[in-house]
């Protein structure tokens, strides 16, 4: 292949290659001395930052998981306490209802006994009043009958004699 017929830009001469190589080496040296360490430092710094961010994200994820588990545990505990409180409330309600029913039974029994006693007292008073009225009526009837029978002196004397005879007979029997 003949390189002589190629354009000059593609076939540089030896002097140009030397200066290009020299310029390249100077630039490479400056870059290696100043730019590469800065770039590598920034890449390392960025790498560390990314690693720390990943580590923090992992820790945050673990904390979030722990918080979620704690939240679920607290929620479960709250549900258990709610169930226990509801159970205690039901037991308390049942105890109060039972106590109220017992008091109501006692009160009704007491009221029933009081009513029976009151009825018995009223019954005795009524019987006493009836007996008193019967006795008064009997005395009034007897008085009227005796007045009728003893309206004459002879019948009075006859009654007195008869009563005296009965009294003397009763005394002798005793």
């Amino acid at each position: 292949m003949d390189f002589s017929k190629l354009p000059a830009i593609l076939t540089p001469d030896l002097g140009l290659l030397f200066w290009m190589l020299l310029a390249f080496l100077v630039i490479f040296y400056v870059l290696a001395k100043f730019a590469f360490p800065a770039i590598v430092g920034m890449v390392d710094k960025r790498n560390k930052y990314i690693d720390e961010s990943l580590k923090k994200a992992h820790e945050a994820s673990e904390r979030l998981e722990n918080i979620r588990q704690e939240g679920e545990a607290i929620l479960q505990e709250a549900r258990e306490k709610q169930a226990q409180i509801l159970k205690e409330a039901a037991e308390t309600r049942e105890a109060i209802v039972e106590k109220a029913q017992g008091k109501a039974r006692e009160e009704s029994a007491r009221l029933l006994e009081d009513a029976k006693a009151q009825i018995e007292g009223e019954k005795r008073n009524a019987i006493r009043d009836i007996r008193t009225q019967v006795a008064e009526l009997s005395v009034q009837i007897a008085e009227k009958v005796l007045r009728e029978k003893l309206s004459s002196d002879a019948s009075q004397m006859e009654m007195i004699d008869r009563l005296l005879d009965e009294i003397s007979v009763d005394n002798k029997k005793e």
Side-chain angles (χ1 to χ4, degrees), residues 104-138:
R105 279 189 227 108
E106 291 174 6
E107 184 67 17
S108 66
R110 186 187 61 79
L111 290 174
L112 187 61
E113 289 298 321
D114 289 349
K116 285 181 181 179
Q118 186 178 3
I119 290 170
E120 187 64 33
E122 289 177 6
K123 179 180 168 184
R124 279 185 260 140
N125 288 339
I127 290 173
R128 190 179 327 116
D129 288 345
I130 290 172
R131 285 183 181 164
T132 304
Q133 290 176 2
V134 168
E136 288 177 6
L137 286 175
S138 298

Side-chain angles (χ1 to χ4, degrees), residues 5-94:
K5 294 192 178 180
L6 291 174
I9 195 148
L10 293 177
T11 59
D13 63 353
L14 209 50
L16 182 62
L17 280 175
F18 171 75
W19 288 114
M20 283 177 51
L21 181 65
L22 184 65
F24 175 75
L25 289 175
V26 169
I27 290 176
F28 184 76
Y29 175 76
V30 171
L31 286 176
K33 181 81 173 168
F34 300 108
F36 287 154
I39 292 172
V40 169
M42 286 176 35
V43 168
D44 286 342
K45 188 176 177 183
R46 182 72 177 164
N47 192 19
K48 286 179 185 177
Y49 177 75
I50 290 172
D51 287 343
E52 287 177 10
S53 295
L54 286 174
K55 183 179 176 183
K56 287 179 182 178
H58 182 68
E59 289 174 0
S61 175
E62 287 178 356
R63 279 193 223 139
L64 184 63
E65 181 63 26
N66 288 340
I67 290 171
R68 187 187 62 76
Q69 289 175 354
E70 288 176 9
E72 287 179 8
I74 289 171
L75 188 60
Q76 182 63 28
E77 184 179 338
R79 286 183 186 135
E80 290 171 1
K81 283 185 180 181
Q82 178 187 18
Q84 183 179 0
I85 289 170
L86 289 174
K87 180 182 175 186
E88 289 174 1
E91 290 172 357
T92 303
R93 178 184 49 85
E94 289 175 8

Side-chain angles (χ1 to χ4, degrees), residues 91-103 105:
E91 290 172 357
T92 303
R93 178 184 49 85
E94 289 175 8
I96 290 171
V97 167
E98 195 172 307
K99 186 176 180 181
Q101 287 176 344
K103 282 185 178 181
R105 279 189 227 108

Side-chain angles (χ1 to χ4, degrees), residues 142-159:
E143 184 181 331
K144 287 185 180 180
V145 168
L146 282 175
R147 280 192 189 153
E148 192 80 23
K149 280 190 170 182
L150 300 176
S151 58
S152 66
D153 287 338
S155 55
Q156 285 178 5
M157 288 308 280
E158 189 179 311
M159 176 70 121

